[in-house]
């Protein structure tokens, strides 16, 4: 009997162990591998109501899960009963790792096709950009899938205070219906942060007082570090009590290499928005230009980042007598306050000089006898060919330098909101149409609107080889997204100087149907975009931080071009370029 009992115990022990092993193998099989990415968004399909999601508007509206999703019983549903300037649905306290690539996938649409923007930011003040800021998403009127890839930035260690935010403003309107489903945010890979070259400037953030910075004015003013920086305890602070004709903040005896590309990055603003100029020159007489002379910087009234790229010149060997100088005159006025922080000057690369060429000596020709002239009949001049009447219509033909400066362009007529001028500069430059452009129909008596759009751009100067997409947009009635039609920016791309061409059917223009081509147009706009189609612009907040190379506008500006756009009606043949 004892033997049988021992046998039963052994069998039972084996069954228990085999069961445990099977359970462990089953658990391992079902568990995600360590390399598998996990969605960090809770309730991604709104199947658990609106839990974890927050809807906010300074207008009025509702947020429910009362509609079916793309392929599920529920989806997020926002109704706008009164549009606001801050309308968002978000999820907070998400965990993100630094210098890491993430991918956001989601499905969405709006009944009116109105767009939205997506941001990943710090949930609380100062709402630091964590890698995606106001990324515009073009929604349709039925379920569409969207994907955004970004690399985290703005923090150095893992954070748990990130906010994923979908913003409906400024696109929302009364009665709009927005729908969301399957919001997936996953880590893609870690990114090795680039090695930042060391700055040749000392005390760039004014954290060590004002040394070795020097303030000079032939008027009157003060220079202190008594204010906080854009993200630090201190910043340089200049007060103008009496304006002068020579007012500068500088650092001297800097070392520069010849024929080299340098990049200057700094943050600044002035209380009144008054500008300044930047120079790199010899510190002593004769004050030679070392590559940068009176580069005007358009300051705002809050902290902004600025970047200038230049190539050293004016010397052949390494120098140690350079001066970096911020000049406030002639822009300064009594009571002005100027603020500076994070002034970084780094060497980017050396420039390879072309080999010197030895000029070929000019030989003195042996004189030959002068023959007796024979009368030559006067040739009949060949007339310059003129395109047939109505064969083409020049929309725009401008020589323009794209810069970081923003100005205002007068409109030839008021828009429907009463505006007589429009903001122009950085990514979005506005122009009035070429002379003789019709102030009536583009369909009759000649159907330009049904023909072909031809574009040519002559790129004269360009600061880097970063790819650029170039686009033209035509506005009607008002300068808003809904009132323009645009060319396909992917058709006109370039990385360097030269001449480039593009053509497309007029009817293939983006939002072609939003324009009444039987009525007068208002104004034209050219757009500078990066290779992904994001406008290179820091004026409009929805584009800040999205374009490649951000915040270094010096990669794209200044860029000098001659741009020409021509419409040719059906059967009109090739354009004749001016």
């Amino acid at each position: 009997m004892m033997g049988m009992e021992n046998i039963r115990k052994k069998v039972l022990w084996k069954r228990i162990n085999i069961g445990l092993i099977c359970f462990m193998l089953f658990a391992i099989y079902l568990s995600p591998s360590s390399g598998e990415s996990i969605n960090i968004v809770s309730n991604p399909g709104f199947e658990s109501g609106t839990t974890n999601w927050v809807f906010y508007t300074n207008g009025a509206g509702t947020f429910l899960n009362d509609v079916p999703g793309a392929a599920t019983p529920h989806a997020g549903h926002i109704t706008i009963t009164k549009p606001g300037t801050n309308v968002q649905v978000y999820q907070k306290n998400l965990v993100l790792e630094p210098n890491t690539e993430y991918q956001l996938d989601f499905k969405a649409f709006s009944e009116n096709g109105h767009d939205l923007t997506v941001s990943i930011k710090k949930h609380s003040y100062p709402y630091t950009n964590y890698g995606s800021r106001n990324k515009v998403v073009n929604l349709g009127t039925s379920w569409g899938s969207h994907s955004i890839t970004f690399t985290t930035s703005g923090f150095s260690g893992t954070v748990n205070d990130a906010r994923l935010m979908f913003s409906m403003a400024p696109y929302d309107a009364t009665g709009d219906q927005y729908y969301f489903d399957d919001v997936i945010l996953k880590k893609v890979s870690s990114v090795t942060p680039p090695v930042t070259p060391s700055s040749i400037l000392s005390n760039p953030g004014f954290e060590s007082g004002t040394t070795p910075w020097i303030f000079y004015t032939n008027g009157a003013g003060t220079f202190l570090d008594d204010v906080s920086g854009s993200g630090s305890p201190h910043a340089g602070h200049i007060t103008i009590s009496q304006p002068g004709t020579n007012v500068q903040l500088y650092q001297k005896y800097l070392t520069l290499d010849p024929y080299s590309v340098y990049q200057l990055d700094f943050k600044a603003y002035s209380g009144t928005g008054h500008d300044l100029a930047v120079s790199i020159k010899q510190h002593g007489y004769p004050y030679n230009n070392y590559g940068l002379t009176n580069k005007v910087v358009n300051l705002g009234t809050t902290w902004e980042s600025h970047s200038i790229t230049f190539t050293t010149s004016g010397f052949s060997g390494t120098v140690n007598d350079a001066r970096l100088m911020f000049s406030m005159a002639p822009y300064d006025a009594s009571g002005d306050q100027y603020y500076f922080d994070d002034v970084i000057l780094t060497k980017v690369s050396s420039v390879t000089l072309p080999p010197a060429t030895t000029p070929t000596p000019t030989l003195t020709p042996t004189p030959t006898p002068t023959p007796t002239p024979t009368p030559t009949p006067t040739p009949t001049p060949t007339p310059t060919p003129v395109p047939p009447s109505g064969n083409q219509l020049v929309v725009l033909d401008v020589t323009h330098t794209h810069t970081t400066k923003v100005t205002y362009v007068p409109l030839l007529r008021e828009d429907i909101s009463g505006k007589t001028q429009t903001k122009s500069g950085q990514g979005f430059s506005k122009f009035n149409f070429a002379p003789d452009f019709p102030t009536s129909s583009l369909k009759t008596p000649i159907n330009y609107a049904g023909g072909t759009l031809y574009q040519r751009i002559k790129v004269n100067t360009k600061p880097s080889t970063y790819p650029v997409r170039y686009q033209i947009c035509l506005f009607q009635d008002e300068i808003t997204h809904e009132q323009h039609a645009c060319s396909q920016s992917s058709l006109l791309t370039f990385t360097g100087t030269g001449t480039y061409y593009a053509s497309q059917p007029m009817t293939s223009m983006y939002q072609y149907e939003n324009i009444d081509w039987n009525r007068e147009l208002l104004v034209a706009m050219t757009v500078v975009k990066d290779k992904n189609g994001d406008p290179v612009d820091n004026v409009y907040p929805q584009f800040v931080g999205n374009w490649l190379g951000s915040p270094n506008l010096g990669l794209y500006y200044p860029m000098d071009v001659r741009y020409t756009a021509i419409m040719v009606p059906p059967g009109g043949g090739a354009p004749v370029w001016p």
Side-chain angles (χ1 to χ4, degrees):
M1 291 296 291
M2 289 298 295
M4 290 298 295
E5 184 65 24
N6 288 334
I7 291 172
R8 280 197 298 269
K9 287 181 179 180
K10 289 181 179 179
V11 171
L12 180 60
W13 177 250
K14 288 181 179 179
R15 287 177 177 175
I16 292 172
N17 277 276
I18 291 172
L20 285 171
I21 292 171
C22 291
F23 177 78
M24 291 171 65
L25 290 173
F26 183 69
I28 292 171
Y29 177 78
L30 290 180
S31 299
S33 66
S34 59
E36 184 179 347
S37 187
I38 299 174
N39 186 15
I40 64 175
V41 172
S42 300
N43 189 19
F46 304 90
E47 300 304 322
S48 302
T50 59
T51 303
N52 298 112
W53 294 95
V54 179
F55 174 60
Y56 171 82
T57 177
N58 60 0
T62 60
F63 173 45
L64 302 167
N65 76 329
D66 57 345
V67 295
T72 55
H74 298 283
H77 174 208
I78 290 174
T79 302
I80 306 295
T81 53
K82 179 184 176 183
T85 57
N86 187 355
V87 184
Q88 54 181 270
V89 61
Y90 64 88
Q91 196 165 134
K92 62 181 180 179
N93 298 334
L94 302 179
V95 177
L96 296 178
E97 297 176 19
N99 305 310
T100 301
E101 188 178 36
Y102 284 82
Q103 181 171 314
L104 172 68
D105 296 293
F106 65 97
K107 297 171 184 173
F109 74 97
S110 64
E111 289 190 352
N112 293 322
H114 288 173
D115 297 343
L116 55 77
T117 61
V118 179
S119 298
I120 304 287
K121 63 199 305 185
K122 181 181 175 71
H123 176 61
S124 57
Y125 183 83
Y127 309 108
T128 305
N129 174 19
Y130 277 174
S132 179
R133 183 174 179 181
N134 295 322
K135 175 71 175 180
V136 179
V137 178
N138 184 19
L139 297 186
T141 55
S142 59
W143 285 114
S145 296
H146 304 275
S147 185
I148 298 172
T149 301
F150 64 95
T151 301
T152 51
S153 60
F155 56 96
S156 57
T158 299
V159 297
N160 58 6
D161 61 353
R163 180 200 299 182
L164 166 63
M165 180 173 72
F166 298 94
S167 297
M168 276 61 72
Y171 310 103
D172 59 322
T174 301
D176 272 351
Q177 310 275 328
Y178 283 86
Y179 303 86
F180 301 86
D181 201 10
D182 299 335
V183 184
I184 311 294
L185 179 59
K186 290 184 176 182
K187 174 182 172 181
V188 177
S189 63
S190 297
V191 178
T192 303
V195 177
T196 303
S198 58
S199 174
I200 64 175
L201 297 171
S202 301
N203 191 20
F206 305 89
E207 301 304 321
S208 304
T210 59
T211 306
W213 293 94
I214 298 172
F215 173 61
Y216 171 82
T217 177
N218 60 0
T222 60
F223 171 46
L224 302 167
D225 73 332
D226 58 345
V227 296
S228 57
S230 63
S232 58
H234 297 281
H237 174 208
I238 289 174
T239 301
I240 306 295
S241 52
Q242 178 185 334
T245 57
N246 187 356
V247 184
Q248 54 180 272
L249 174 68
Y250 65 90
Q251 197 168 133
K252 61 182 178 178
Y253 301 139
L254 305 177
T255 300
L256 296 178
D257 293 331
Y259 317 117
S260 299
V261 178
Y262 283 81
Q263 181 171 311
L264 172 67
D265 296 289
F266 65 97
K267 298 172 184 173
Y269 74 98
S270 63
T272 56
H274 288 173
D275 297 343
L276 55 78
V278 183
S279 298
I280 302 284
K281 63 196 305 182
Q282 185 179 21
H283 176 63
Y285 183 82
Y287 309 107
N288 290 326
N289 170 21
Y290 278 175
L292 184 65
T293 300
N294 292 324
K295 172 70 175 179
V296 179
V297 178
N298 182 21
L299 297 187
T301 55
T302 57
W303 285 115
E304 290 182 353
S305 297
H306 302 274
S307 186
I308 299 172
T309 303
F310 65 96
T311 301
T312 52
S313 60
F315 56 96
S316 57
T318 298
V319 296
N320 56 11
D321 62 350
R323 179 199 299 184
L324 165 65
M325 181 172 69
F326 297 97
S327 297
M328 278 126 289
Y331 310 102
D332 59 324
S334 295
D336 272 352
Q337 311 274 328
Y338 283 86
Y339 303 86
F340 301 86
D341 201 10
D342 299 335
V343 187
I344 309 295
L345 179 62
T346 54
K347 179 179 176 180
V348 177
S349 63
S350 298
V351 177
T352 303
L353 296 178
T357 57
T358 303
T360 303
T362 303
L363 301 178
T364 303
T366 303
T368 56
T370 303
T372 302
T374 302
T376 302
T378 303
T380 303
T382 303
T384 302
V386 178
S389 176
N391 192 53
Q392 68 177 33
L393 176 64
V394 177
V395 182
L396 207 59
D397 182 29
V398 293
T399 298
H400 180 69
T401 301
H402 294 277
T403 69
T404 59
K405 191 172 182 65
V406 177
T407 60
Y408 282 86
V409 172
L411 298 173
L412 297 183
R413 63 179 175 87
E414 286 187 0
D415 72 3
I416 60 175
S417 68
K419 292 180 181 178
T420 58
Q421 60 181 7
T422 177
K423 187 182 292 186
S424 176
Q426 287 199 18
F428 304 91
S429 298
K430 312 289 177 48
F431 303 95
N432 288 299
F433 293 108
D436 302 323
F437 190 78
T439 56
S440 57
S441 174
L442 290 174
K443 284 193 170 182
T444 58
I446 301 173
N447 187 16
Y448 294 113
T452 303
L453 173 67
Y454 290 90
Q455 299 178 82
R456 178 192 68 184
I457 188 166
K458 295 182 177 180
V459 184
N460 300 318
T461 63
K462 190 173 180 293
S464 78
T465 57
Y466 266 55
V468 167
R469 291 186 181 187
Y470 205 86
Q471 179 182 46
I472 185 172
C473 297
L474 309 176
F475 287 91
Q476 184 174 61
D477 297 337
E478 190 176 9
I479 302 173
T480 63
H481 177 266
E482 294 78 11
Q483 284 288 308
H484 74 27
C486 301
S487 64
Q488 299 174 28
S489 63
S490 60
L491 297 177
L492 191 56
T493 64
F494 48 89
T495 59
T497 57
T499 303
Y500 306 85
Y501 298 85
S503 64
Q504 67 179 98
M506 285 289 297
T507 54
S508 69
M509 294 180 72
Y510 170 68
Q511 294 192 159
Y512 175 87
E513 67 282 355
N514 285 16
I515 299 293
D516 182 353
W517 298 97
N518 282 307
R519 294 194 296 106
E520 181 182 7
L521 298 180
L522 177 65
V523 73
M525 175 178 74
T526 62
V527 187
V528 177
K529 296 184 172 182
D530 70 4
K531 72 174 185 178
N532 295 328
D534 288 316
V536 183
D537 186 88
N538 279 353
V539 177
Y540 298 96
Q542 63 264 39
F543 305 117
V544 175
N546 292 337
W547 41 274
L548 293 177
S550 176
N552 183 8
L553 288 167
L555 296 169
Y556 297 89
Y557 309 121
M559 181 175 67
D560 183 73
V561 304
R562 180 182 179 183
Y563 173 77
T564 308
I566 294 176
M567 293 180 187
V568 175
V576 178
W577 297 105

